[in-house]
Each structure stands twice: as structure tokens, then as C-alpha cells.
Amino acid sequence: MPSHASSAFQPPVIVLVRPQLAENIGATARAMVNFGGRDLRLVAPREFDQALAERMACDGRDIFLRRQVYPDLASAPADCAYALATSRRLRRVKIPPLDPRAAAERLAALPPSSRKALVFGSEQAGLTNEELFLCDAASTIPVTEQGSLNLAQAVVVYCYEWFTASRQARPLPYTPERPATHEEKQRIYDLLSSLLLAADYQPRSRFPEFLRRVKLLFENRLLTHREQRILLKVLRYLEKGIAVKPPGRSPGHH
């Protein structure tokens, strides 16, 4: 009799950003059904052969047919408490990556009923730096110098690791306070970004990396909805103070 992941654990949403090939989209749905996945979201997909994708999905056909389409990555995981980006090359972004097992364990350690997302970039170019910054953490699959995995193969690896980790993790005996969603957390980062820019943050070229480091403060600890409201309130008071402050040269500005 096959074993299944505990129903107490909500499987991660799978987000494909700008997918190009029908085969990969269908094979992703097929991978998901094997490991308990249910929610497939596509971000700005290129036009593809839907009939071919449906055939490739096999037993994951229903997952493919229920897929949701979003215009950008900011909106796709908006209702998730945690979004984990996957990328073969993290470019020059200084993000300490997790391997797939550590990434799955991180997701399984979240409150069982919380919604989380695994984000995959396009076959050709992966995720942009800006899209990586939108996520809470990043992961990469170690391969040989000559090795490479296509999109659907990468999804299989992460779905398998999630399925294994969720079977070994123990559900919390209580329901903690609701974690802040990706959309709620992004309000904090957006407002903080505008305040820092208004204060003439320097060097401007390293500003995205600095915001990423701010996010790392919450990487190992979920921000709750109540905490998000408190932080947002503080930032709005600061915003109000900046708005009423007489214009002038900022300290240290030359």
C-alpha cells in the first residue's frame, strides 16, 4: 500500500515563471500529482500547445486544467507565507542558496496549514535578479560541470524532496498565529524601499542587495500577520514624518 504525505501538511504551490514548452508544463503537473501537489500557477507563459501539455500531464491532467495564470511574479504567490526561488545560477546576487533537501526541510518546518510556493524560472533564462529578490529564500540543485536539468526534471527533484520531508516532519500540536502572506510582507519591503530612497540611500547600486539582506532577517522565522501590521504602522509613521519634514540636504550628502 503506497504511503502518502500527511494531509496536515499543505503541499507547496508550484509557480512556473515564463514557461515556454508545453512538454515541461505538462510534465510539471505529472510530477506534482505523484508527490501530492495540487496548485499549479503560471506567470506570463509563452503561447504553448495546450493539447500536448495535457497529454504530457497524464494523471496530473486535472492539475493542468485547474492551472492559474498571473501577469507577474509579484502576484502569483501573493497568498503564500513563504516563496522559495529555484535557480541554477544565482548570478551576482549574494544569496546563500539551500540545496533541494534543505529547501524542502525549510518548507516542511513551516506551520502545516500555511501556504508556501516553489518558484521556477523559464527554461531559457531562469529568474531575473528582481524576481529572486521577490522571494524569501533561494535554492539550487548541485550538478556536475557538464550537467544540466530541464525545468520539469528540476520540479521532480523538489517535489520529491518536499514529499519526503513532509512525511518525516511532525505537525505542530497547535495552530500558531497566521503567518503574514507574501503580499503583506511585500507591502513592508515596498514602503521600506521608498523610505530609504527618499533618504538618499547610498550606494544606490547596492540597494537591491541591501533589501535582500533585510529579507534574510526573516528567512528563518516567519513574520506573523500581527507583526507585519506593527512594522507597517511604524513605517507609515516614519513616512508621515518624512513628508512633513522641511526639504533640505540630507545628512552626509555632498
Side-chain angles (χ1 to χ4, degrees), residues 32-68:
M32 290 171 65
V33 77
N34 277 282
F35 301 110
R38 298 189 292 266
D39 192 342
L40 174 61
R41 304 181 185 185
L42 309 182
V43 173
R46 194 172 73 175
E47 186 174 350
F48 63 93
D49 186 335
Q50 297 194 29
L52 175 58
E54 187 175 338
R55 290 197 300 273
M56 288 294 297
C58 296
D59 291 339
R61 177 176 177 272
D62 287 345
I63 292 175
F64 169 73
L65 293 177
R66 292 196 310 269
R67 71 193 182 280
Q68 296 175 286

Side-chain angles (χ1 to χ4, degrees), residues 159-244:
C159 285
Y160 167 76
E161 291 292 354
W162 151 257
F163 186 70
T164 301
S166 67
R167 291 165 64 197
Q168 296 170 349
R170 294 183 179 181
L172 297 176
Y174 61 92
T175 302
E177 186 180 351
R178 178 177 77 78
T181 64
H182 182 81
E183 181 179 34
E184 290 168 340
K185 289 185 291 185
Q186 197 58 44
R187 290 175 195 161
I188 292 176
Y189 302 133
D190 288 343
L191 184 50
L192 177 62
S193 175
S194 66
L195 290 174
L196 288 169
L197 291 175
D200 195 28
Y201 177 92
Q202 297 293 337
R204 195 61 61 92
S205 62
R206 298 185 62 182
F207 184 62
E209 181 184 332
F210 177 76
L211 282 181
R212 173 61 194 156
R213 291 188 179 279
V214 172
K215 284 192 172 188
L216 286 175
L217 296 175
F218 303 103
E219 185 176 7
N220 295 313
R221 177 189 177 281
L222 277 185
L223 190 68
T224 68
H225 174 61
R226 180 180 301 178
E227 292 167 336
Q228 181 266 348
R229 292 181 63 184
I230 291 172
L231 286 173
L232 196 59
K233 187 173 184 179
V234 169
L235 291 175
R236 282 174 175 162
Y237 269 105
L238 292 175
E239 182 183 36
K240 184 185 297 184
I242 290 176
V244 300

Side-chain angles (χ1 to χ4, degrees), residues 13 18 34 36 50 64 69 89 93 98-99 102 112 115 124 150 159 166 169 182 200 208 220 232 253:
V13 171
R18 296 181 305 280
N34 277 282
Q50 297 194 29
F64 169 73
V69 178
R89 297 177 299 274
V93 180
L98 304 167
D99 65 28
R115 187 165 286 146
Q124 185 174 9
N150 70 25
C159 285
S166 67
H182 182 81
D200 195 28
N220 295 313
L232 196 59
H253 185 81

